[in-house]
Amino acid sequence: MHIDDLAHMIISKRTSKPFTLSKISHNNTTYIYEDDSEGLILKIVRNEESKRLKVEYDMTQFVKNTLKLNTPKILAFEQLDSYTYLLRVYIKGEPLISYYNKHNKNLPKYLFEAGRICATLHKKTFDIKGVLSENMNVKDEPIYTQTEFNYFVETIKKNQVIDKDKINHLESLDIDYYYQNYPNVLCHSDYNPRNIIVDADDDLVLIDFEWASAAPRFDDLACFDIFLDLDNLQDMSHFFYEGYQTVQTIELVYFNNINIYKIYRLVTMIAYQVTLEEIIMKEFYDKCIKLLNKLIDNDINKKEA
């Protein structure tokens, strides 16, 4: 069965109304169904790729039931033929920054609450660092290490994304120094304003957990900070950090080396994009490269001062 036919079959079991589906292909094949009264998000992958959806299912349930944070209700997680699908409620609302850009209100409040949500996620701790697998277990993998960083830098180098002198600077960074010997917490691993929805009740809803990991808190913090930077809202980031620190303390090493943590996150984002057959969101990709160049220059100047 073709994946589009499968999607229509799954949705047709949930509604008797005629419908059309919007299709988005990014990491997995996602379909959106929406009418005036309800909406559904359907994610479909081949069975051999089902682990990511199982992680999202387990994470969503844990975050909702144990941490008591707002997440979308999951309606089904099943295998059908050679595919695995996850069906959840579509949150009627707008991503945090989109909502602000449209309505021009409440951003400090939302950023403060986004900080509190992030810190609440980070209350869950693990003994080892790695990616989350089924049932909230951790698979020990070399994430946020020199080895992983070198791989991403080599990918950028091969594709000539930035100048050689900046590559040389990246290759000189002692990444293990910045990530070793810190608590491993439950990280969203894509914690940014686009994955936080302002719903119809003015509440924040956290979505998309498929890349969750057990790691130092720094990458989630840096990721959120980067997206504020990309949206020209860097001067508002203190509201996010203030909200976070009403729940948990952020180690001083993070603020002292924030450039490094943001560089690592940008390198991972750019290395992923550059390996695709076609760059997704070209304008966003170009802004990431511009910001990476700026952060490297800042770090070079800091070390020379």
Side-chain angles (χ1 to χ4, degrees):
M1 181 182 296
H2 190 276
I3 192 170
D4 290 345
D5 297 328
L6 178 62
H8 277 81
M9 184 182 75
I10 293 169
I11 297 297
S12 66
K13 293 179 180 179
R14 296 280 170 172
T15 180
S16 59
K17 304 173 186 176
F19 65 87
T20 57
L21 294 178
S22 303
K23 182 178 179 181
I24 307 168
S25 293
H26 179 44
N27 297 331
N28 48 54
T29 303
T30 301
Y31 298 85
I32 300 175
Y33 160 75
E34 185 179 11
D35 64 22
D36 292 338
S37 61
E38 62 178 334
L40 300 169
I41 293 279
L42 175 63
K43 297 184 178 183
I44 304 178
V45 298
R46 292 195 172 274
N47 287 338
E48 57 267 27
E49 302 171 22
S50 65
K51 188 188 81 169
R52 287 189 287 110
L53 288 192
K54 181 62 165 65
V55 170
E56 179 164 1
Y57 172 80
D58 291 339
M59 270 286 295
T60 301
Q61 301 299 81
F62 176 81
V63 170
K64 179 182 289 291
N65 298 328
T66 303
L67 300 181
K68 307 302 182 185
L69 296 174
N70 293 328
T71 61
K73 181 179 179 180
I74 293 181
L75 303 173
F77 176 72
E78 298 177 10
Q79 285 191 352
L80 195 59
D81 295 331
S82 58
Y83 294 96
T84 299
Y85 72 89
L86 184 148
L87 183 68
R88 68 165 174 83
V89 170
Y90 175 67
I91 303 299
K92 288 185 176 290
E94 297 172 89
L96 197 159
I97 299 302
S98 299
Y99 178 90
Y100 170 71
N101 289 336
K102 183 175 181 179
H103 302 283
N104 194 28
K105 64 177 184 178
N106 295 338
L107 186 59
K109 181 186 82 169
Y110 293 140
L111 294 179
F112 188 91
E113 182 61 21
R116 292 186 70 256
I117 292 169
C118 187
T120 302
L121 272 184
H122 293 172
K123 284 183 175 182
K124 171 65 176 174
T125 59
F126 300 89
D127 293 333
I128 62 174
K129 181 169 62 175
V131 297
L132 255 65
S133 59
E134 293 87 346
N135 303 314
M136 299 291 292
N137 294 316
V138 179
K139 182 180 179 182
D140 189 359
E141 291 193 6
I143 59 174
Y144 308 112
T145 61
Q146 192 72 54
T147 300
E148 183 187 57
F149 185 72
N150 290 347
Y151 171 79
F152 291 135
V153 171
E154 185 62 26
T155 300
I156 289 176
K157 182 178 180 180
K158 286 180 179 178
N159 288 275
Q160 301 180 334
V161 174
I162 58 177
D163 295 340
K164 185 178 178 180
D165 61 329
K166 290 184 172 61
I167 289 291
N168 291 340
H169 184 72
L170 294 179
E171 291 175 336
S172 74
L173 296 177
D174 181 5
I175 291 300
D176 286 339
Y177 169 81
Y178 300 101
Y179 281 97
Q180 285 184 346
N181 303 317
Y182 296 102
N184 296 312
V185 301
L186 176 59
C187 290
H188 183 283
S189 298
D190 195 14
Y191 195 83
N192 71 76
R194 301 181 186 197
N195 283 329
I196 301 173
I197 307 299
V198 183
D199 70 10
D201 296 321
D202 203 35
D203 292 325
L204 300 188
V205 183
L206 186 58
I207 63 171
D208 290 351
F209 296 97
E210 61 191 277
W211 302 111
S213 65
R217 72 187 83 241
F218 308 137
D219 186 66
D220 272 358
L221 299 174
C223 183
F224 197 92
D225 195 299
I226 283 169
F227 275 77
L228 292 182
D229 218 333
L230 294 173
D231 285 315
N232 297 315
L233 293 168
Q234 185 59 38
D235 60 340
M236 305 289 279
S237 64
H238 65 95
F239 293 109
F240 170 72
Y241 292 118
E242 288 166 8
Y244 189 102
Q245 295 198 104
T246 63
V247 179
Q248 294 206 59
T249 300
I250 301 172
E251 294 88 345
L252 190 59
V253 67
Y254 173 76
F255 292 111
N256 287 342
N257 299 283
I258 190 170
N259 263 10
I260 300 297
Y261 295 112
K262 291 171 74 172
I263 284 171
Y264 196 117
R265 163 49 65 163
L266 280 166
V267 165
T268 65
M269 292 162 61
I270 293 167
Y272 168 74
Q273 287 277 342
V274 80
T275 58
L276 300 177
E277 292 184 7
E278 182 178 353
I279 297 295
I280 300 170
M281 300 182 295
K282 182 66 166 57
E283 182 180 357
F284 173 78
Y285 171 77
D286 290 341
K287 288 169 72 173
C288 286
I289 294 174
K290 183 178 179 180
L291 180 56
L292 178 61
N293 279 306
K294 174 185 173 183
L295 292 173
I296 294 173
D297 285 339
N298 289 346
D299 196 55
I300 292 172
N301 292 335
K302 179 181 176 181
K303 287 179 168 58
E304 290 178 347

